Amino acid sequence: MPSNFSRRRLLTTGAGVALGGAAAAVATNAQAADPVGAPLAGVREETRSLDELYEAAIAEGGKLVLYQGGDVDSQAAGLRTDWAARFPKIPLTVSVDYSKYHDVRVDNQLATDTLVPDVVQLQTLQDFTRWKREGKLLRYKPAGFSQIHKGFKDPDGAWTALFVIAFSFMYDVQAAGANAPRTPLDLLDERWKGAIASSYPNDDDAVLYLYSLYQQKYGWDWVAEFAAQQPQFARGTNTPGVAVNGKTKTIGVGAGGSAVSTSTTVKWVLPTGDHPFMAWGQRAAILKKAAHPAAAKLYVNWQLSEERQAASRNGWSVRTDVTPYAGLKPVWEFPNAHVDGFPRFMEDRAAAERLRQTFSLYFGEVKGDPSPGWPGLHPGS
């Protein structure tokens, strides 16, 4: 680690950007009442089996459209394959785009009475509390709802998280060698100058939050010295993994991964102690005006089934009754994952925007086309 890094920064968090109280109040109030403040009637948990829900979806017309937050269309390939194998009579259309474009796309479609998706599955967590307030979501509790971690569901059934995503950094095992980075502090080692790829923190809110955790823990000196490492920034949280797997860079920052991966070539780092990473439950909801609500219910029940949850690629489930892989604790038992912090962060849009522009001062403006391309106003129609 460079000798000029101020270790006093490790003992303070005063230089960090405050992103808490007001946002927490917004998030709490958002879940307290419906759009007119009236008490919400209870919604019973689904009791039908997947086969019964499948038959109802077929009778409805046999179609489902999903708007999925993501970076490239290939990220939905496994989902399409698994769905087609399990429910061949229900064609699934998945449109992948950055969540920050899908959410306003849905708003525009609702405003113009041209709604396309039945289900939205996005990283922009604040949209789900807003859409609930506006009365745009179907209140529904899929089977197993009572077993979902309380932080990963709306108590009234307006939305629920379907799976856990975690962001940290990764490295090429062979290229990094015996002294591979174990914590974000190690990324400042002079050996890694010019060897780091990262997704833009000022383009993706999850990466923005990850970098904010680094800044709050280690100070703005860390940010400045990381910038001096000349990282290669690109749009799309898939790009760090592409760079590391393609051996053009040794380290990738700001990307998802698995703490239980058996790969011998690339390791995704789960930091220990109080060194931060981040994780959240990716929320999904059925739109109240969805054209195929029966198929949408089938989808969320399938994704939350014990079989699907146990097959999670990163080892974590949103359900409390599904044991994580390989001795992992549930993700909400990792204090350094900041599971509760990310939803609060996403609610405070003004603070996030200030932080985004501040990181732009250090790393430069975002450049390049979005990695999913430009799907337009009505993808999936």
Side-chain angles (χ1 to χ4, degrees):
M1 184 173 67
S3 59
N4 63 337
F5 180 76
S6 173
R7 293 181 181 274
R8 288 175 297 173
R9 295 295 188 180
L10 303 183
L11 303 177
T12 67
T13 57
V17 177
L19 296 167
V26 171
T28 301
N29 293 338
Q31 298 181 30
D34 70 3
V36 295
L40 294 175
V43 177
R44 293 186 178 182
E45 188 171 312
E46 180 63 76
T47 59
R48 290 173 292 177
S49 69
L50 286 178
D51 288 339
E52 290 172 323
L53 291 164
Y54 183 30
E55 290 302 317
I58 294 171
E60 176 186 67
K63 184 179 180 182
L64 177 64
V65 180
L66 167 68
Y67 275 11
Q68 173 180 309
D71 304 289
V72 288
D73 184 72
S74 60
Q75 290 173 335
L79 171 63
R80 293 185 181 106
T81 299
D82 293 349
W83 176 270
R86 181 65 177 84
F87 308 111
K89 295 183 180 180
I90 307 293
L92 171 63
T93 299
V94 184
S95 173
V96 178
D97 197 4
Y98 295 160
S99 295
K100 65 180 181 179
Y101 295 149
H102 263 333
D103 62 350
V104 293
R105 180 175 285 121
V106 168
D107 286 333
N108 182 259
Q109 291 177 5
L110 288 170
T112 57
D113 196 24
T114 57
L115 183 65
V116 175
D118 303 297
V119 178
V120 284
Q121 179 179 295
L122 306 174
Q123 175 184 289
T124 49
L125 308 185
Q126 78 281 2
D127 286 311
F128 293 87
T129 54
R130 174 176 64 86
W131 283 331
K132 178 188 177 182
R133 291 195 305 272
E134 295 170 350
K136 295 176 179 176
L137 304 180
L138 179 70
R139 288 192 288 128
Y140 176 69
K141 296 182 179 180
F145 185 85
S146 57
Q147 298 298 329
I148 298 170
H149 175 60
K150 63 181 181 180
F152 289 162
K153 62 185 176 184
D154 173 70
D156 300 306
W159 54 264
T160 182
L162 299 186
F163 48 87
V164 173
I165 301 177
F167 275 12
S168 181
F169 65 92
M170 66 185 72
Y171 61 84
D172 180 320
V173 174
Q174 182 179 10
N179 295 316
R182 306 299 181 194
T183 76
L185 287 176
D186 298 331
L187 303 179
L188 303 185
D189 192 298
E190 60 184 10
R191 292 184 301 151
W192 311 130
K193 186 172 184 177
I196 300 174
S198 176
S199 42
Y200 278 110
N202 41 345
D203 189 40
D204 182 279
D205 279 342
V207 184
L208 181 67
Y209 183 60
L210 179 68
Y211 271 79
S212 79
L213 294 176
Y214 294 163
Q215 183 277 318
Q216 290 175 52
K217 176 64 178 175
Y218 311 120
W220 287 110
D221 284 357
W222 182 95
V223 179
E225 294 203 25
F226 182 80
Q229 293 286 65
Q230 299 177 357
Q232 171 188 284
F233 287 102
R235 301 191 72 180
T237 61
N238 65 307
T239 56
V242 170
V244 174
N245 282 283
K247 296 190 175 297
T248 61
K249 298 294 179 182
T250 302
I251 297 170
V253 183
S258 171
V260 296
S261 171
T262 58
S263 172
T264 59
T265 58
V266 174
K267 179 175 177 58
W268 184 86
V269 177
L270 178 64
T272 59
D274 59 356
H275 294 289
F277 73 108
M278 66 162 297
W280 74 96
Q282 187 82 331
R283 294 178 182 178
I286 301 171
L287 292 159
K288 188 176 289 186
K289 291 186 176 181
H292 312 101
K297 291 176 181 179
L298 173 64
Y299 176 78
V300 295
N301 278 273
W302 175 66
Q303 286 284 41
L304 289 170
S305 67
E306 291 186 56
E307 180 180 359
R308 289 287 292 180
Q309 291 291 304
S312 167
R313 289 183 296 175
N314 66 14
W316 284 306
S317 170
V318 299
R319 294 180 59 136
T320 60
D321 59 344
V322 173
T323 303
Y325 283 176
L328 276 180
K329 297 181 297 184
V331 71
W332 49 85
E333 293 184 10
F334 286 81
N336 59 329
H338 301 273
V339 169
D340 296 328
F342 186 51
R344 292 195 298 268
F345 174 89
M346 293 297 283
E347 291 286 349
D348 192 339
R349 302 315 300 162
E353 184 62 22
R354 289 193 299 272
L355 190 59
R356 187 189 327 280
Q357 299 305 337
T358 305
F359 277 117
S360 295
L361 297 176
Y362 286 84
F363 302 142
E365 291 287 351
V366 174
K367 298 178 181 178
D369 290 338
S371 52
W374 298 97
L377 285 172
H378 301 95
S381 59

